[in-house]
C-alpha cells in the first residue's frame, strides 16, 4: 500500500505542477515596466509629440488574453488630449512622448501605469496589463504633410 500511496502522491504533484505552469504561463504575458515597440515610423519626422502638446491618437486596446476593451478605430474617432498633463493613464503620457505624426507604436502597460489594482470595471480587471496599438494622427491640430515611409516592423513586443 505504501507504493500505491507514493504513486498517487506523485500523480497529484505532477497534476498540480501542470496547473501552476499553465497559470504562470498565462500570467507571464503581464509586464512590470512600460514596454514601447515602434511598429512603423515615417522616414521624415517633422511633427513630434512633446509634453503639453494637444495630440490626436487612434488606438486599439486589448488585455493580455487578446480581448478588446476599447478601440477608437472601431468608433472611427481618434482620441484627443493634452500629453503629459495626467488626462490619461501614465502609460500613455510616457509611452507617446517623442512620437512622430504617422508613427505606430505598441505599448505594453503594467497595471501600476494603467488602472492599478482596482481596474476599470466591467471591461478591465484589477491588476491588468494593457496592450495598446497606437497611431499618432496629429500634434496641435497639424497632421503630417508628406514624406516617404519606412517599412512596417513586425517585431514582437
Amino acid at each position: 500500500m505504501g507504493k500505491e500511496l507514493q504513486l498517487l502522491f506523485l500523480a497529484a504533484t505532477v497534476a498540480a505542477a501542470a496547473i501552476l505552469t499553465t497559470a504562470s504561463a498565462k500570467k507571464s504575458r503581464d509586464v512590470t515596466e512600460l514596454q514601447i515597440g515602434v511598429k512603423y515610423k515615417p522616414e521624415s519626422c517633422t511633427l513630434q509629440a512633446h509634453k503639453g502638446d494637444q495630440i490626436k491618437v487612434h488606438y486599439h486596446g486589448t488585455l493580455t488574453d487578446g480581448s478588446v476593451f476599447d478601440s477608437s478605430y472601431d468608433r472611427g474617432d481618434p482620441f484627443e488630449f493634452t500629453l503629459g498633463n495626467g488626462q490619461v493613464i501614465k502609460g500613455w503620457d510616457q509611452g507617446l512622448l517623442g512620437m512622430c505624426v504617422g508613427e505606430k507604436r505598441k505599448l505594453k502597460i503594467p497595471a501600476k501605469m494603467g488602472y492599478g489594482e482596482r481596474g476599470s470595471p466591467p471591461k478591465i480587471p484589477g491588476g491588468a496589463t494593457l496592450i495598446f496599438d497606437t497611431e499618432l494622427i496629429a500634434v496641435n491640430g497639424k497632421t503630417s504633410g508628406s514624406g516617404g515611409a519606412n517599412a512596417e516592423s513586425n517585431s514582437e513586443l
Side-chain angles (χ1 to χ4, degrees):
M1 182 113 147
K3 195 94 154 154
E4 287 177 20
L5 192 55
Q6 284 178 333
L7 287 174
L8 185 59
F9 178 74
L10 180 62
T13 302
V14 168
I19 290 169
L20 288 174
T21 300
T22 302
S24 176
K26 182 180 179 199
K27 205 67 173 151
S28 72
R29 289 181 265 176
D30 285 336
V31 296
T32 57
E33 299 299 324
L34 175 64
Q35 294 180 8
I36 303 169
V38 176
K39 305 305 277 179
Y40 169 83
K41 190 164 188 167
E43 204 172 280
S44 172
C45 180
T46 55
L47 290 171
Q48 203 171 18
H50 301 285
K51 184 176 180 180
D53 285 341
Q54 186 74 15
I55 66 171
K56 192 179 283 192
V57 179
H58 252 315
Y59 66 91
H60 184 76
T62 60
L63 300 174
T64 56
D65 67 2
S67 60
V68 177
F69 58 81
D70 195 12
S71 176
S72 69
Y73 286 109
D74 292 349
R75 288 189 302 278
D77 186 25
F79 182 65
E80 194 166 351
F81 67 99
T82 302
L83 185 61
N85 283 359
Q87 294 178 356
V88 293
I89 59 175
K90 287 180 185 176
W92 268 41
D93 266 344
Q94 292 181 22
L96 301 177
L97 281 171
M99 197 169 178
C100 301
V101 169
E103 183 176 338
K104 295 179 182 182
R105 289 183 181 178
K106 176 173 266 190
L107 306 178
K108 286 190 177 180
I109 302 173
K112 67 183 179 184
M113 295 180 78
Y115 294 101
E117 293 307 313
R118 290 193 321 212
S120 184
K123 292 190 174 186
I124 301 173
T129 289
L130 308 175
I131 301 169
F132 285 96
D133 289 303
T134 63
E135 178 181 2
L136 185 60
I137 305 299
V139 174
N140 297 322
K142 297 177 185 170
T143 59
S144 181
S146 64
N150 290 335
E152 290 207 23
S153 167
N154 288 323
S155 67
E156 284 297 312
L157 174 68

